[in-house]
Amino acid sequence: MIDKNTGMFLRGAGAFLVILAHYSQWYLTLENNRIAWLLSKTGRYGVAVFFLVSGYGLVFSAKRGLDYRWLCRRLNNVYLPYLCIWGIICLFEKREWSALNLVKYLSGMDMWFVFVILLFYILFYIVWKFSRKKILWMAVGVSVISIILAVTVKSSVWYSSNYTFLIGIVAGQYDESIGVWLQQRKAICCGILLFGFLCSGVIYTYFTNKSEFIYILGKITASILYTLFILGVFAYREKTNWIFMKTGAISLELYLVHNFVLLRLSLVKEKIGAAGVLLFSLLLSVVFSLILHEVFGLLQRRMKRKYYKKENAENKTPA
């Protein structure tokens, strides 16, 4: 249903929504603006799209072979850039390295998305390699992780989008049958899902300060319905917009650097204005992310060549 180009396009769109939300939240500190308030809510849906694409892609990559090297590659693609980029940012901000701060940094908990996606990669590897009832145990695992996060971390941002990862897994596992069913009912399904998403968004917004349970349940429901809507809209549609595709390729780096750049440039707001801060923050974040992406790509390719060179040498060694 979702080819590689469409997946990269959706990653780019998700990254844009996250950046849009964070920039809008910054703007709200300057001015109480209704449009900025609405845009500040888009971040969770950007994360939902990223989780969808990640779960979907994992299923297909696992079909090509699933061993410890597969897991190491997935972890390194996220963990290595996080360690380096976030470590540099912490040095710039002169962070105090207490034992707790060090644990949060090394575990990825400084950036909730990194921590959660790493957990999901490990969960997927264990379930896909050792379980026959894969979807059942993925559902159990995602639920357990989400409940633990809800109890320990409290903030709903850590778990309100988690089930969209499971949706991606299910879509990847039953890709053909879901695709055939969806193609026959695409218009009506997308219409119902969009209507349900808008209704759930209104409901959880209304209950923001009235009922925490309904508020959180509404957020989770809205994320699920939005993700299903996106899946329906983009199934079998090849999107090749090069801007969003390139943004998708550097989405992790953008996620890690854009807030830091924004906060640094906000120090010169009086000189360049709020619009200047937002524009230059976006441009510099993209430039930095492109450079960092190329650097990490080069490092990973060298590590890969070194590993295979060593492995081939060991295989040629006579017993």
Side-chain angles (χ1 to χ4, degrees), residues 4 8 11 50-51 53-83 113-126 128 165 169 252-253 296 300 303-304 308:
K4 185 176 181 180
M8 199 59 72
R11 283 176 184 265
F50 192 90
F51 276 161
V53 176
S54 295
Y56 186 88
L58 287 181
V59 174
F60 285 91
S61 67
K63 292 178 181 178
R64 298 192 293 268
L66 190 69
D67 55 18
Y68 74 94
R69 289 173 296 185
W70 180 94
L71 179 62
C72 289
R73 285 196 300 272
R74 292 297 171 281
L75 296 178
N76 281 336
N77 287 343
V78 175
Y79 191 60
L80 181 61
Y82 159 75
L83 277 184
F113 173 80
V114 172
F115 180 74
V116 173
I117 199 67
L118 290 176
L119 287 179
F120 283 168
Y121 284 166
I122 295 170
L123 171 66
F124 178 87
Y125 174 76
I126 293 172
W128 233 247
F165 180 79
I169 297 292
L252 176 62
E253 291 82 3
F296 288 118
Q300 289 168 350
M303 290 169 62
K304 189 176 181 179
Y308 281 117

Side-chain angles (χ1 to χ4, degrees), residues 52 167 182 190 193 223-233:
L52 166 69
I167 291 173
L182 187 60
C190 289
L193 289 168
S223 292
I224 291 173
L225 292 174
Y226 175 80
T227 303
L228 291 171
F229 170 72
I230 291 296
L231 181 63
V233 169

Side-chain angles (χ1 to χ4, degrees), residues 46-306:
V47 172
V49 170
F50 192 90
F51 276 161
L52 166 69
V53 176
S54 295
Y56 186 88
L58 287 181
V59 174
F60 285 91
S61 67
K63 292 178 181 178
R64 298 192 293 268
L66 190 69
D67 55 18
Y68 74 94
R69 289 173 296 185
W70 180 94
L71 179 62
C72 289
R73 285 196 300 272
R74 292 297 171 281
L75 296 178
N76 281 336
N77 287 343
V78 175
Y79 191 60
L80 181 61
Y82 159 75
L83 277 184
C84 296
I85 296 173
W86 193 244
I88 293 171
I89 289 174
C90 289
L91 291 176
F92 267 104
E93 294 181 341
K94 298 180 180 180
R95 181 177 186 177
E96 293 183 6
W97 290 102
S98 64
L100 178 60
N101 284 341
L102 183 61
V103 169
K104 289 173 66 177
Y105 166 66
L106 294 176
S107 66
M109 292 189 73
D110 273 340
M111 305 291 284
W112 76 267
F113 173 80
V114 172
F115 180 74
V116 173
I117 199 67
L118 290 176
L119 287 179
F120 283 168
Y121 284 166
I122 295 170
L123 171 66
F124 178 87
Y125 174 76
I126 293 172
V127 170
W128 233 247
K129 190 168 182 65
F130 300 108
S131 174
R132 292 184 178 180
K133 298 181 178 180
K134 293 178 171 54
I135 299 300
L136 172 63
W137 286 110
M138 280 301 304
V140 171
V142 170
S143 298
V144 169
I145 289 172
S146 299
I147 291 171
I148 292 173
L149 290 174
V151 172
T152 56
V153 183
K154 302 296 184 182
S155 174
S156 60
V157 72
W158 286 71
Y159 57 86
S160 60
S161 301
N162 290 359
Y163 282 102
T164 60
F165 180 79
L166 181 62
I167 291 173
I169 297 292
V170 174
Q173 182 71 348
Y174 302 106
D175 178 75
E176 187 174 345
S177 56
I178 292 176
V180 171
W181 185 89
L182 187 60
Q183 280 187 317
Q184 299 171 353
R185 307 165 178 84
K186 189 167 187 176
I188 188 170
C189 286
C190 289
I192 292 172
L193 289 168
L194 179 59
F195 178 75
F197 161 66
L198 294 174
C199 289
S200 60
V202 171
I203 290 171
Y204 87 72
T205 301
Y206 175 78
F207 282 97
T208 299
N209 297 316
K210 293 180 172 63
S211 171
E212 185 178 5
F213 176 77
I214 297 178
Y215 168 71
I216 292 174
L217 184 62
K219 283 182 70 174
I220 294 173
T221 303
S223 292
I224 291 173
L225 292 174
Y226 175 80
T227 303
L228 291 171
F229 170 72
I230 291 296
L231 181 63
V233 169
F234 288 94
Y236 300 112
R237 289 182 61 182
E238 187 173 344
K239 288 291 178 182
T240 56
N241 181 287
W242 70 270
I243 296 177
F244 277 130
M245 287 182 64
K246 194 62 180 179
T247 305
I250 62 172
S251 56
L252 176 62
E253 291 82 3
L254 269 175
Y255 173 76
L256 292 170
V257 306
H258 75 276
N259 259 335
F260 171 74
V261 175
L262 174 64
L263 293 176
R264 287 289 167 176
L265 283 180
S266 66
L267 299 176
V268 295
K269 179 179 69 67
E270 298 301 325
K271 294 182 179 180
I272 62 177
V277 169
L278 294 173
L279 177 60
F280 286 113
S281 294
L282 180 60
L283 292 175
L284 286 175
S285 295
V286 170
V287 170
F288 289 152
S289 297
L290 286 169
I291 295 171
L292 290 167
H293 183 74
E294 291 301 320
V295 170
F296 288 118
L298 178 63
L299 288 174
Q300 289 168 350
R301 288 192 294 272
R302 286 189 175 182
M303 290 169 62
K304 189 176 181 179
R305 285 198 297 267
K306 186 176 181 181

Side-chain angles (χ1 to χ4, degrees), residues 1-12:
M1 285 188 292
I2 301 176
D3 62 22
K4 185 176 181 180
N5 287 341
T6 304
M8 199 59 72
F9 173 90
L10 289 174
R11 283 176 184 265

